[in-house]
Amino acid sequence: TDALVLALMAMSVGAGDAVFVPDYTFFATAEAPAFLGATPVFVDIDPDTYNMSPASLEKCISQVKAAGKLQPKAVIPVDLFGLPADYRAISAIAKAHGLLVLEDAAQGFGGNMDGKRACSFGDIAATSFFPAKPLGCYGDGGALFTNDDTYAGKLRSLRVHGKGKDVYDNIGIGTNSRLDTLQAAILCVKLDAFASYELDAVQRIAERYTGLLNGTVKTPVIPEGYLSSWAQYCVVFDTNEKREQAKARMEQNGVPYRWYYLPLSMQKAFLTEADTPVAKDMSKRMLALPMSPYLTNEDMDHVCECIV
Ligand SMILES: *Cc1c(COP(=O)(O)O)cnc(C)c1O
C-alpha cells in the first residue's frame, strides 16, 4: 500500500486527477489514489482473466474526458491472482491518452508476460511481501520497481521522510516506508526458495488442480505467452448458490477458503455507480482454494472433494 502511494506521489497524482483502477481487486489499489485526493475510476474486468478489461478502460477514459471534471492521469492495472494484466493493450491505450501506468504487482511477483517479468511493466511497479502474497515476509513489506532514474531518485527520498543528503536533511514531505531489516533478511532466504523451486511447485499444483476439477467449475485461464505466479487459485461456479454450497462443504471439512472481491464501487468507502457488470457477477461466483507450494496431493484431493 505504501509502495502504491509513494509511486503516485512520485507521479504527482492528487486532487482533480482521475486514476483508473479495476473494480475487482483488493481495496488498496483504489485507496492509494483516494488517499492522495485523486478520484479512482472503476473499470470492469475481463471474464476470463479477471484482470482489467482494455475495452472498459477505453470507455471509462472517454466518459471522464466527456464529463470534463477530472484530468485523466494514471491507470493502475492489477496482476490479479498472480497473472499479469493485459499490458499489450493497456500500455497502448495509456500512451494514446497520455496516462501514466502503475503496475500493482502485489499478487503478481514471479509472473511473466511475453518473456518479461511482472514488476517490469508500466512507469513504476509496486509489489507486496505480505505473507499471503507469492513472496511473503513475516509481517508487512513491499518494494518499488522502475527504470526511470528521476522516479527512482524521488522514491528513494519520499520513502524516508522526503530526505535529501541524509535523513536529517529534508527536501520534501514523505513517509516512513523503509523495509525492516529483519523482514529483508527473511526475504533474502525466501527469495532463493521462491526462485529455485517454489514458483515451479505452484505451476505443478495449479495444473493438478485444473486436471482434478476439469468439467465441474470454471478453472483459471492463462492466455498464450503468460505465466501466473499463482498468488491465488480461483474457480468460478455456474451460480452463486453452487458457490455457497461449496463454501459450506469446505467449512464442514475444515478446508479454508476465501471469496474475492466485493467490487470496490460497492464498498462503503467508495459506494458509487460503476458500469462493471462482470466484476459484480464474478464476486458472487468466485472461490479461492487453498494454494501454496507445499500442498500435497492428499491436501488437493481433500479440497476437490468439496467442489465436485
Ligand atoms: C495485498 C494487496 C495490496 C496491499 O498490499 P499490503 O502489503 O497489504 O499493503 C495492494 N494491491 C493488491 C492487488 C493486493 O492484493
Side-chain angles (χ1 to χ4, degrees), residues 7-8 11 19-20 52 57 73-78 85-87 89-95 98-104 120-126 145-146 151:
L8 295 170
M11 292 172 166
V19 177
F20 300 89
M52 179 182 274
L57 174 62
K73 177 87 178 193
V75 53
I76 313 182
V78 175
D86 185 355
Y87 295 101
I90 291 172
S91 304
I93 295 169
K95 201 169 166 199
L99 299 180
L100 295 165
V101 179
L102 166 56
E103 175 186 3
D104 182 346
S120 72
F121 300 104
D123 298 281
I124 305 179
F145 303 77
T146 184
Y151 283 140

PDB file of all heavy atoms in Angstrom, residues 7-8 11 19-20 52 57 73-78 85-87 89-95 98-104 120-126 145-146 151:
ATOM      1  N   ALA A   7       4.489   5.685  -5.255  1.00  0.00           N
ATOM      2  CA  ALA A   7       4.574   5.769  -6.722  1.00  0.00           C
ATOM      3  C   ALA A   7       3.677   6.895  -7.233  1.00  0.00           C
ATOM      4  O   ALA A   7       4.085   7.687  -8.091  1.00  0.00           O
ATOM      5  CB  ALA A   7       4.170   4.435  -7.345  1.00  0.00           C
ATOM      6  N   LEU A   8       2.466   6.975  -6.684  1.00  0.00           N
ATOM      7  CA  LEU A   8       1.534   8.027  -7.121  1.00  0.00           C
ATOM      8  C   LEU A   8       2.041   9.409  -6.707  1.00  0.00           C
ATOM      9  O   LEU A   8       1.851  10.389  -7.429  1.00  0.00           O
ATOM     10  CB  LEU A   8       0.126   7.765  -6.573  1.00  0.00           C
ATOM     11  CG  LEU A   8      -0.558   6.501  -7.108  1.00  0.00           C
ATOM     12  CD1 LEU A   8      -1.840   6.203  -6.322  1.00  0.00           C
ATOM     13  CD2 LEU A   8      -0.874   6.624  -8.599  1.00  0.00           C
ATOM     14  N   MET A  11       4.552  10.452  -9.108  1.00  0.00           N
ATOM     15  CA  MET A  11       3.893  10.835 -10.366  1.00  0.00           C
ATOM     16  C   MET A  11       3.083  12.135 -10.209  1.00  0.00           C
ATOM     17  O   MET A  11       2.382  12.533 -11.135  1.00  0.00           O
ATOM     18  CB  MET A  11       2.944   9.711 -10.804  1.00  0.00           C
ATOM     19  CG  MET A  11       3.638   8.435 -11.232  1.00  0.00           C
ATOM     20  SD  MET A  11       2.405   7.110 -11.506  1.00  0.00           S
ATOM     21  CE  MET A  11       3.413   5.895 -12.384  1.00  0.00           C
ATOM     22  N   VAL A  19      -7.808   8.431 -11.665  1.00  0.00           N
ATOM     23  CA  VAL A  19      -6.901   7.276 -11.722  1.00  0.00           C
ATOM     24  C   VAL A  19      -7.755   6.037 -11.969  1.00  0.00           C
ATOM     25  O   VAL A  19      -8.658   5.736 -11.177  1.00  0.00           O
ATOM     26  CB  VAL A  19      -6.084   7.142 -10.420  1.00  0.00           C
ATOM     27  CG1 VAL A  19      -5.202   5.902 -10.464  1.00  0.00           C
ATOM     28  CG2 VAL A  19      -5.223   8.391 -10.194  1.00  0.00           C
ATOM     29  N   PHE A  20      -7.488   5.349 -13.066  1.00  0.00           N
ATOM     30  CA  PHE A  20      -8.317   4.215 -13.480  1.00  0.00           C
ATOM     31  C   PHE A  20      -7.824   2.936 -12.808  1.00  0.00           C
ATOM     32  O   PHE A  20      -6.648   2.588 -12.913  1.00  0.00           O
ATOM     33  CB  PHE A  20      -8.299   4.091 -15.011  1.00  0.00           C
ATOM     34  CG  PHE A  20      -8.825   5.338 -15.671  1.00  0.00           C
ATOM     35  CD1 PHE A  20      -7.956   6.390 -15.990  1.00  0.00           C
ATOM     36  CD2 PHE A  20     -10.177   5.492 -15.911  1.00  0.00           C
ATOM     37  CE1 PHE A  20      -8.439   7.560 -16.561  1.00  0.00           C
ATOM     38  CE2 PHE A  20     -10.673   6.664 -16.469  1.00  0.00           C
ATOM     39  CZ  PHE A  20      -9.809   7.702 -16.800  1.00  0.00           C
ATOM     40  N   MET A  52      -8.083  -6.185 -15.572  1.00  0.00           N
ATOM     41  CA  MET A  52      -8.703  -5.006 -16.177  1.00  0.00           C
ATOM     42  C   MET A  52      -9.011  -5.222 -17.658  1.00  0.00           C
ATOM     43  O   MET A  52      -8.147  -5.669 -18.409  1.00  0.00           O
ATOM     44  CB  MET A  52      -7.761  -3.811 -16.003  1.00  0.00           C
ATOM     45  CG  MET A  52      -8.272  -2.521 -16.613  1.00  0.00           C
ATOM     46  SD  MET A  52      -7.072  -1.173 -16.407  1.00  0.00           S
ATOM     47  CE  MET A  52      -7.518  -0.575 -14.782  1.00  0.00           C
ATOM     48  N   LEU A  57     -11.651   0.070 -20.079  1.00  0.00           N
ATOM     49  CA  LEU A  57     -10.748   1.193 -19.780  1.00  0.00           C
ATOM     50  C   LEU A  57     -10.955   2.322 -20.794  1.00  0.00           C
ATOM     51  O   LEU A  57     -11.112   3.491 -20.410  1.00  0.00           O
ATOM     52  CB  LEU A  57      -9.278   0.720 -19.790  1.00  0.00           C
ATOM     53  CG  LEU A  57      -8.223   1.809 -19.642  1.00  0.00           C
ATOM     54  CD1 LEU A  57      -8.345   2.536 -18.296  1.00  0.00           C
ATOM     55  CD2 LEU A  57      -6.804   1.242 -19.802  1.00  0.00           C
ATOM     56  N   LYS A  73      -5.207  10.835 -15.467  1.00  0.00           N
ATOM     57  CA  LYS A  73      -3.784  10.996 -15.129  1.00  0.00           C
ATOM     58  C   LYS A  73      -3.021   9.673 -15.170  1.00  0.00           C
ATOM     59  O   LYS A  73      -1.897   9.619 -15.648  1.00  0.00           O
ATOM     60  CB  LYS A  73      -3.702  11.600 -13.719  1.00  0.00           C
ATOM     61  CG  LYS A  73      -2.318  11.771 -13.165  1.00  0.00           C
ATOM     62  CD  LYS A  73      -1.706  13.084 -13.557  1.00  0.00           C
ATOM     63  CE  LYS A  73      -0.329  13.253 -12.931  1.00  0.00           C
ATOM     64  NZ  LYS A  73       0.144  14.619 -13.051  1.00  0.00           N
ATOM     65  N   ALA A  74      -3.605   8.620 -14.604  1.00  0.00           N
ATOM     66  CA  ALA A  74      -2.852   7.366 -14.491  1.00  0.00           C
ATOM     67  C   ALA A  74      -3.800   6.171 -14.501  1.00  0.00           C
ATOM     68  O   ALA A  74      -4.997   6.311 -14.249  1.00  0.00           O
ATOM     69  CB  ALA A  74      -2.033   7.364 -13.196  1.00  0.00           C
ATOM     70  N   VAL A  75      -3.232   5.017 -14.811  1.00  0.00           N
ATOM     71  CA  VAL A  75      -4.001   3.765 -14.740  1.00  0.00           C
ATOM     72  C   VAL A  75      -3.204   2.793 -13.870  1.00  0.00           C
ATOM     73  O   VAL A  75      -1.964   2.762 -13.939  1.00  0.00           O
ATOM     74  CB  VAL A  75      -4.300   3.205 -16.155  1.00  0.00           C
ATOM     75  CG1 VAL A  75      -3.039   3.062 -16.988  1.00  0.00           C
ATOM     76  CG2 VAL A  75      -5.028   1.851 -16.076  1.00  0.00           C
ATOM     77  N   ILE A  76      -3.916   2.056 -13.015  1.00  0.00           N
ATOM     78  CA  ILE A  76      -3.262   1.051 -12.171  1.00  0.00           C
ATOM     79  C   ILE A  76      -3.802  -0.333 -12.533  1.00  0.00           C
ATOM     80  O   ILE A  76      -4.779  -0.803 -11.934  1.00  0.00           O
ATOM     81  CB  ILE A  76      -3.483   1.314 -10.660  1.00  0.00           C
ATOM     82  CG1 ILE A  76      -3.224   2.776 -10.290  1.00  0.00           C
ATOM     83  CG2 ILE A  76      -2.578   0.391  -9.833  1.00  0.00           C
ATOM     84  CD1 ILE A  76      -3.376   3.087  -8.791  1.00  0.00           C
ATOM     85  N   PRO A  77      -3.180  -1.010 -13.522  1.00  0.00           N
ATOM     86  CA  PRO A  77      -3.598  -2.387 -13.787  1.00  0.00           C
ATOM     87  C   PRO A  77      -3.089  -3.279 -12.652  1.00  0.00           C
ATOM     88  O   PRO A  77      -2.016  -3.042 -12.102  1.00  0.00           O
ATOM     89  CB  PRO A  77      -2.883  -2.744 -15.099  1.00  0.00           C
ATOM     90  CG  PRO A  77      -2.250  -1.472 -15.591  1.00  0.00           C
ATOM     91  CD  PRO A  77      -2.079  -0.582 -14.399  1.00  0.00           C
ATOM     92  N   VAL A  78      -3.878  -4.281 -12.300  1.00  0.00           N
ATOM     93  CA  VAL A  78      -3.515  -5.203 -11.219  1.00  0.00           C
ATOM     94  C   VAL A  78      -3.221  -6.574 -11.824  1.00  0.00           C
ATOM     95  O   VAL A  78      -3.947  -7.035 -12.704  1.00  0.00           O
ATOM     96  CB  VAL A  78      -4.674  -5.319 -10.202  1.00  0.00           C
ATOM     97  CG1 VAL A  78      -4.363  -6.369  -9.128  1.00  0.00           C
ATOM     98  CG2 VAL A  78      -4.946  -3.970  -9.551  1.00  0.00           C
ATOM     99  N   ALA A  85      -1.509  -8.367 -15.932  1.00  0.00           N
ATOM    100  CA  ALA A  85      -2.631  -7.754 -16.659  1.00  0.00           C
ATOM    101  C   ALA A  85      -2.294  -7.703 -18.153  1.00  0.00           C
ATOM    102  O   ALA A  85      -1.182  -8.048 -18.566  1.00  0.00           O
ATOM    103  CB  ALA A  85      -2.893  -6.363 -16.099  1.00  0.00           C
ATOM    104  N   ASP A  86      -3.250  -7.242 -18.951  1.00  0.00           N
ATOM    105  CA  ASP A  86      -3.065  -7.192 -20.411  1.00  0.00           C
ATOM    106  C   ASP A  86      -2.284  -5.932 -20.791  1.00  0.00           C
ATOM    107  O   ASP A  86      -2.843  -4.978 -21.326  1.00  0.00           O
ATOM    108  CB  ASP A  86      -4.438  -7.213 -21.096  1.00  0.00           C
ATOM    109  CG  ASP A  86      -4.324  -7.295 -22.612  1.00  0.00           C
ATOM    110  OD1 ASP A  86      -3.188  -7.235 -23.133  1.00  0.00           O
ATOM    111  OD2 ASP A  86      -5.366  -7.411 -23.278  1.00  0.00           O
ATOM    112  N   TYR A  87      -0.966  -5.950 -20.503  1.00  0.00           N
ATOM    113  CA  TYR A  87      -0.140  -4.760 -20.770  1.00  0.00           C
ATOM    114  C   TYR A  87       0.019  -4.506 -22.256  1.00  0.00           C
ATOM    115  O   TYR A  87       0.298  -3.383 -22.655  1.00  0.00           O
ATOM    116  CB  TYR A  87       1.223  -4.875 -20.078  1.00  0.00           C
ATOM    117  CG  TYR A  87       1.056  -4.877 -18.575  1.00  0.00           C
ATOM    118  CD1 TYR A  87       1.101  -6.060 -17.855  1.00  0.00           C
ATOM    119  CD2 TYR A  87       0.783  -3.700 -17.902  1.00  0.00           C
ATOM    120  CE1 TYR A  87       0.886  -6.072 -16.490  1.00  0.00           C
ATOM    121  CE2 TYR A  87       0.563  -3.696 -16.530  1.00  0.00           C
ATOM    122  CZ  TYR A  87       0.617  -4.885 -15.838  1.00  0.00           C
ATOM    123  OH  TYR A  87       0.382  -4.884 -14.495  1.00  0.00           O
ATOM    124  N   ALA A  89      -2.316  -4.407 -24.499  1.00  0.00           N
ATOM    125  CA  ALA A  89      -3.385  -3.460 -24.870  1.00  0.00           C
ATOM    126  C   ALA A  89      -3.376  -2.213 -23.983  1.00  0.00           C
ATOM    127  O   ALA A  89      -3.524  -1.097 -24.475  1.00  0.00           O
ATOM    128  CB  ALA A  89      -4.741  -4.155 -24.777  1.00  0.00           C
ATOM    129  N   ILE A  90      -3.180  -2.411 -22.679  1.00  0.00           N
ATOM    130  CA  ILE A  90      -3.323  -1.281 -21.748  1.00  0.00           C
ATOM    131  C   ILE A  90      -2.218  -0.240 -21.956  1.00  0.00           C
ATOM    132  O   ILE A  90      -2.471   0.964 -21.920  1.00  0.00           O
ATOM    133  CB  ILE A  90      -3.358  -1.786 -20.283  1.00  0.00           C
ATOM    134  CG1 ILE A  90      -4.672  -2.546 -20.044  1.00  0.00           C
ATOM    135  CG2 ILE A  90      -3.228  -0.634 -19.287  1.00  0.00           C
ATOM    136  CD1 ILE A  90      -4.757  -3.272 -18.712  1.00  0.00           C
ATOM    137  N   SER A  91      -0.982  -0.691 -22.233  1.00  0.00           N
ATOM    138  CA  SER A  91       0.112   0.261 -22.460  1.00  0.00           C
ATOM    139  C   SER A  91      -0.178   1.124 -23.681  1.00  0.00           C
ATOM    140  O   SER A  91       0.098   2.331 -23.673  1.00  0.00           O
ATOM    141  CB  SER A  91       1.437  -0.479 -22.658  1.00  0.00           C
ATOM    142  OG  SER A  91       1.676  -1.313 -21.549  1.00  0.00           O
ATOM    143  N   ALA A  92      -0.750   0.520 -24.722  1.00  0.00           N
ATOM    144  CA  ALA A  92      -1.060   1.281 -25.947  1.00  0.00           C
ATOM    145  C   ALA A  92      -2.158   2.314 -25.662  1.00  0.00           C
ATOM    146  O   ALA A  92      -2.066   3.463 -26.118  1.00  0.00           O
ATOM    147  CB  ALA A  92      -1.494   0.328 -27.053  1.00  0.00           C
ATOM    148  N   ILE A  93      -3.165   1.909 -24.909  1.00  0.00           N
ATOM    149  CA  ILE A  93      -4.257   2.846 -24.565  1.00  0.00           C
ATOM    150  C   ILE A  93      -3.707   3.999 -23.721  1.00  0.00           C
ATOM    151  O   ILE A  93      -3.999   5.167 -23.958  1.00  0.00           O
ATOM    152  CB  ILE A  93      -5.391   2.110 -23.806  1.00  0.00           C
ATOM    153  CG1 ILE A  93      -6.055   1.076 -24.714  1.00  0.00           C
ATOM    154  CG2 ILE A  93      -6.419   3.100 -23.262  1.00  0.00           C
ATOM    155  CD1 ILE A  93      -6.997   0.119 -23.987  1.00  0.00           C
ATOM    156  N   ALA A  94      -2.865   3.654 -22.733  1.00  0.00           N
ATOM    157  CA  ALA A  94      -2.289   4.674 -21.859  1.00  0.00           C
ATOM    158  C   ALA A  94      -1.461   5.670 -22.674  1.00  0.00           C
ATOM    159  O   ALA A  94      -1.546   6.887 -22.472  1.00  0.00           O
ATOM    160  CB  ALA A  94      -1.429   4.020 -20.778  1.00  0.00           C
ATOM    161  N   LYS A  95      -0.682   5.142 -23.603  1.00  0.00           N
ATOM    162  CA  LYS A  95       0.168   6.001 -24.436  1.00  0.00           C
ATOM    163  C   LYS A  95      -0.691   6.949 -25.273  1.00  0.00           C
ATOM    164  O   LYS A  95      -0.424   8.158 -25.348  1.00  0.00           O
ATOM    165  CB  LYS A  95       1.034   5.116 -25.346  1.00  0.00           C
ATOM    166  CG  LYS A  95       2.263   5.816 -25.865  1.00  0.00           C
ATOM    167  CD  LYS A  95       3.219   4.855 -26.541  1.00  0.00           C
ATOM    168  CE  LYS A  95       4.246   5.645 -27.347  1.00  0.00           C
ATOM    169  NZ  LYS A  95       4.911   4.811 -28.351  1.00  0.00           N
ATOM    170  N   GLY A  98      -2.039   9.635 -22.977  1.00  0.00           N
ATOM    171  CA  GLY A  98      -1.101  10.336 -22.097  1.00  0.00           C
ATOM    172  C   GLY A  98      -1.240   9.968 -20.630  1.00  0.00           C
ATOM    173  O   GLY A  98      -1.027  10.807 -19.749  1.00  0.00           O
ATOM    174  N   LEU A  99      -1.597   8.716 -20.353  1.00  0.00           N
ATOM    175  CA  LEU A  99      -1.732   8.275 -18.959  1.00  0.00           C
ATOM    176  C   LEU A  99      -0.459   7.584 -18.480  1.00  0.00           C
ATOM    177  O   LEU A  99       0.163   6.830 -19.229  1.00  0.00           O
ATOM    178  CB  LEU A  99      -2.874   7.257 -18.816  1.00  0.00           C
ATOM    179  CG  LEU A  99      -4.292   7.669 -19.164  1.00  0.00           C
ATOM    180  CD1 LEU A  99      -5.236   6.493 -18.952  1.00  0.00           C
ATOM    181  CD2 LEU A  99      -4.726   8.857 -18.312  1.00  0.00           C
ATOM    182  N   LEU A 100      -0.096   7.808 -17.228  1.00  0.00           N
ATOM    183  CA  LEU A 100       0.996   7.055 -16.617  1.00  0.00           C
ATOM    184  C   LEU A 100       0.467   5.678 -16.214  1.00  0.00           C
ATOM    185  O   LEU A 100      -0.730   5.533 -15.936  1.00  0.00           O
ATOM    186  CB  LEU A 100       1.522   7.801 -15.387  1.00  0.00           C
ATOM    187  CG  LEU A 100       2.183   9.150 -15.711  1.00  0.00           C
ATOM    188  CD1 LEU A 100       2.340   9.994 -14.458  1.00  0.00           C
ATOM    189  CD2 LEU A 100       3.538   8.933 -16.389  1.00  0.00           C
ATOM    190  N   VAL A 101       1.364   4.681 -16.199  1.00  0.00           N
ATOM    191  CA  VAL A 101       0.956   3.322 -15.828  1.00  0.00           C
ATOM    192  C   VAL A 101       1.702   2.892 -14.566  1.00  0.00           C
ATOM    193  O   VAL A 101       2.934   2.928 -14.509  1.00  0.00           O
ATOM    194  CB  VAL A 101       1.250   2.308 -16.966  1.00  0.00           C
ATOM    195  CG1 VAL A 101       0.839   0.897 -16.543  1.00  0.00           C
ATOM    196  CG2 VAL A 101       0.521   2.711 -18.249  1.00  0.00           C
ATOM    197  N   LEU A 102       0.928   2.525 -13.541  1.00  0.00           N
ATOM    198  CA  LEU A 102       1.493   1.987 -12.297  1.00  0.00           C
ATOM    199  C   LEU A 102       1.025   0.533 -12.177  1.00  0.00           C
ATOM    200  O   LEU A 102      -0.173   0.277 -12.035  1.00  0.00           O
ATOM    201  CB  LEU A 102       1.003   2.824 -11.103  1.00  0.00           C
ATOM    202  CG  LEU A 102       1.214   2.236  -9.700  1.00  0.00           C
ATOM    203  CD1 LEU A 102       2.682   1.910  -9.440  1.00  0.00           C
ATOM    204  CD2 LEU A 102       0.699   3.215  -8.637  1.00  0.00           C
ATOM    205  N   GLU A 103       1.958  -0.393 -12.266  1.00  0.00           N
ATOM    206  CA  GLU A 103       1.610  -1.817 -12.164  1.00  0.00           C
ATOM    207  C   GLU A 103       1.427  -2.189 -10.689  1.00  0.00           C
ATOM    208  O   GLU A 103       2.377  -2.092  -9.915  1.00  0.00           O
ATOM    209  CB  GLU A 103       2.727  -2.674 -12.784  1.00  0.00           C
ATOM    210  CG  GLU A 103       2.493  -4.173 -12.604  1.00  0.00           C
ATOM    211  CD  GLU A 103       3.653  -5.053 -13.069  1.00  0.00           C
ATOM    212  OE1 GLU A 103       4.706  -4.528 -13.490  1.00  0.00           O
ATOM    213  OE2 GLU A 103       3.490  -6.288 -12.996  1.00  0.00           O
ATOM    214  N   ASP A 104       0.217  -2.626 -10.321  1.00  0.00           N
ATOM    215  CA  ASP A 104       0.008  -3.170  -8.974  1.00  0.00           C
ATOM    216  C   ASP A 104       0.298  -4.663  -9.042  1.00  0.00           C
ATOM    217  O   ASP A 104      -0.566  -5.473  -9.405  1.00  0.00           O
ATOM    218  CB  ASP A 104      -1.423  -2.897  -8.496  1.00  0.00           C
ATOM    219  CG  ASP A 104      -1.661  -3.422  -7.067  1.00  0.00           C
ATOM    220  OD1 ASP A 104      -0.826  -4.208  -6.572  1.00  0.00           O
ATOM    221  OD2 ASP A 104      -2.685  -3.055  -6.460  1.00  0.00           O
ATOM    222  N   SER A 120       7.939  -5.339 -14.064  1.00  0.00           N
ATOM    223  CA  SER A 120       8.724  -4.576 -15.048  1.00  0.00           C
ATOM    224  C   SER A 120       7.813  -3.814 -16.004  1.00  0.00           C
ATOM    225  O   SER A 120       8.289  -3.226 -16.966  1.00  0.00           O
ATOM    226  CB  SER A 120       9.636  -5.516 -15.835  1.00  0.00           C
ATOM    227  OG  SER A 120       8.884  -6.319 -16.729  1.00  0.00           O
ATOM    228  N   PHE A 121       6.494  -3.839 -15.759  1.00  0.00           N
ATOM    229  CA  PHE A 121       5.572  -3.172 -16.685  1.00  0.00           C
ATOM    230  C   PHE A 121       5.248  -1.758 -16.192  1.00  0.00           C
ATOM    231  O   PHE A 121       5.297  -1.475 -15.007  1.00  0.00           O
ATOM    232  CB  PHE A 121       4.286  -3.996 -16.840  1.00  0.00           C
ATOM    233  CG  PHE A 121       4.562  -5.376 -17.374  1.00  0.00           C
ATOM    234  CD1 PHE A 121       4.528  -6.484 -16.540  1.00  0.00           C
ATOM    235  CD2 PHE A 121       4.921  -5.553 -18.707  1.00  0.00           C
ATOM    236  CE1 PHE A 121       4.808  -7.754 -17.027  1.00  0.00           C
ATOM    237  CE2 PHE A 121       5.216  -6.822 -19.202  1.00  0.00           C
ATOM    238  CZ  PHE A 121       5.161  -7.924 -18.361  1.00  0.00           C
ATOM    239  N   GLY A 122       4.907  -0.905 -17.132  1.00  0.00           N
ATOM    240  CA  GLY A 122       4.489   0.451 -16.781  1.00  0.00           C
ATOM    241  C   GLY A 122       5.654   1.346 -16.400  1.00  0.00           C
ATOM    242  O   GLY A 122       6.824   0.992 -16.580  1.00  0.00           O
ATOM    243  N   ASP A 123       5.326   2.531 -15.881  1.00  0.00           N
ATOM    244  CA  ASP A 123       6.351   3.506 -15.497  1.00  0.00           C
ATOM    245  C   ASP A 123       6.963   3.140 -14.155  1.00  0.00           C
ATOM    246  O   ASP A 123       8.156   3.298 -13.944  1.00  0.00           O
ATOM    247  CB  ASP A 123       5.712   4.899 -15.427  1.00  0.00           C
ATOM    248  CG  ASP A 123       5.176   5.325 -16.784  1.00  0.00           C
ATOM    249  OD1 ASP A 123       5.998   5.758 -17.610  1.00  0.00           O
ATOM    250  OD2 ASP A 123       3.967   5.174 -17.037  1.00  0.00           O
ATOM    251  N   ILE A 124       6.122   2.666 -13.248  1.00  0.00           N
ATOM    252  CA  ILE A 124       6.573   2.209 -11.928  1.00  0.00           C
ATOM    253  C   ILE A 124       5.741   0.972 -11.595  1.00  0.00           C
ATOM    254  O   ILE A 124       4.572   0.871 -12.003  1.00  0.00           O
ATOM    255  CB  ILE A 124       6.353   3.285 -10.832  1.00  0.00           C
ATOM    256  CG1 ILE A 124       7.016   4.619 -11.207  1.00  0.00           C
ATOM    257  CG2 ILE A 124       6.866   2.802  -9.473  1.00  0.00           C
ATOM    258  CD1 ILE A 124       6.820   5.747 -10.176  1.00  0.00           C
ATOM    259  N   ALA A 125       6.322   0.018 -10.875  1.00  0.00           N
ATOM    260  CA  ALA A 125       5.566  -1.139 -10.391  1.00  0.00           C
ATOM    261  C   ALA A 125       5.728  -1.219  -8.879  1.00  0.00           C
ATOM    262  O   ALA A 125       6.752  -0.797  -8.327  1.00  0.00           O
ATOM    263  CB  ALA A 125       6.062  -2.424 -11.039  1.00  0.00           C
ATOM    264  N   ALA A 126       4.683  -1.757  -8.231  1.00  0.00           N
ATOM    265  CA  ALA A 126       4.715  -1.917  -6.776  1.00  0.00           C
ATOM    266  C   ALA A 126       4.369  -3.363  -6.449  1.00  0.00           C
ATOM    267  O   ALA A 126       3.482  -3.946  -7.073  1.00  0.00           O
ATOM    268  CB  ALA A 126       3.680  -0.984  -6.138  1.00  0.00           C
ATOM    269  N   PHE A 145       9.594  -0.751  -8.204  1.00  0.00           N
ATOM    270  CA  PHE A 145      10.465  -1.045  -9.343  1.00  0.00           C
ATOM    271  C   PHE A 145      10.278   0.055 -10.383  1.00  0.00           C
ATOM    272  O   PHE A 145       9.141   0.409 -10.698  1.00  0.00           O
ATOM    273  CB  PHE A 145      10.067  -2.370 -10.009  1.00  0.00           C
ATOM    274  CG  PHE A 145      10.066  -3.560  -9.076  1.00  0.00           C
ATOM    275  CD1 PHE A 145       9.024  -3.744  -8.169  1.00  0.00           C
ATOM    276  CD2 PHE A 145      11.092  -4.490  -9.123  1.00  0.00           C
ATOM    277  CE1 PHE A 145       9.016  -4.844  -7.311  1.00  0.00           C
ATOM    278  CE2 PHE A 145      11.084  -5.591  -8.266  1.00  0.00           C
ATOM    279  CZ  PHE A 145      10.055  -5.770  -7.367  1.00  0.00           C
ATOM    280  N   THR A 146      11.381   0.565 -10.923  1.00  0.00           N
ATOM    281  CA  THR A 146      11.275   1.499 -12.055  1.00  0.00           C
ATOM    282  C   THR A 146      12.588   1.523 -12.821  1.00  0.00           C
ATOM    283  O   THR A 146      13.654   1.267 -12.245  1.00  0.00           O
ATOM    284  CB  THR A 146      10.895   2.920 -11.600  1.00  0.00           C
ATOM    285  OG1 THR A 146      10.709   3.744 -12.754  1.00  0.00           O
ATOM    286  CG2 THR A 146      11.946   3.551 -10.700  1.00  0.00           C
ATOM    287  N   TYR A 151      12.236   9.037 -11.350  1.00  0.00           N
ATOM    288  CA  TYR A 151      11.317   8.415 -10.386  1.00  0.00           C
ATOM    289  C   TYR A 151      12.094   7.720  -9.260  1.00  0.00           C
ATOM    290  O   TYR A 151      11.726   7.822  -8.084  1.00  0.00           O
ATOM    291  CB  TYR A 151      10.417   7.384 -11.070  1.00  0.00           C
ATOM    292  CG  TYR A 151       9.271   7.967 -11.863  1.00  0.00           C
ATOM    293  CD1 TYR A 151       8.911   7.407 -13.093  1.00  0.00           C
ATOM    294  CD2 TYR A 151       8.534   9.040 -11.381  1.00  0.00           C
ATOM    295  CE1 TYR A 151       7.849   7.922 -13.825  1.00  0.00           C
ATOM    296  CE2 TYR A 151       7.477   9.564 -12.108  1.00  0.00           C
ATOM    297  CZ  TYR A 151       7.138   8.995 -13.333  1.00  0.00           C
ATOM    298  OH  TYR A 151       6.092   9.501 -14.044  1.00  0.00           O
TER     299      TYR A 151
END
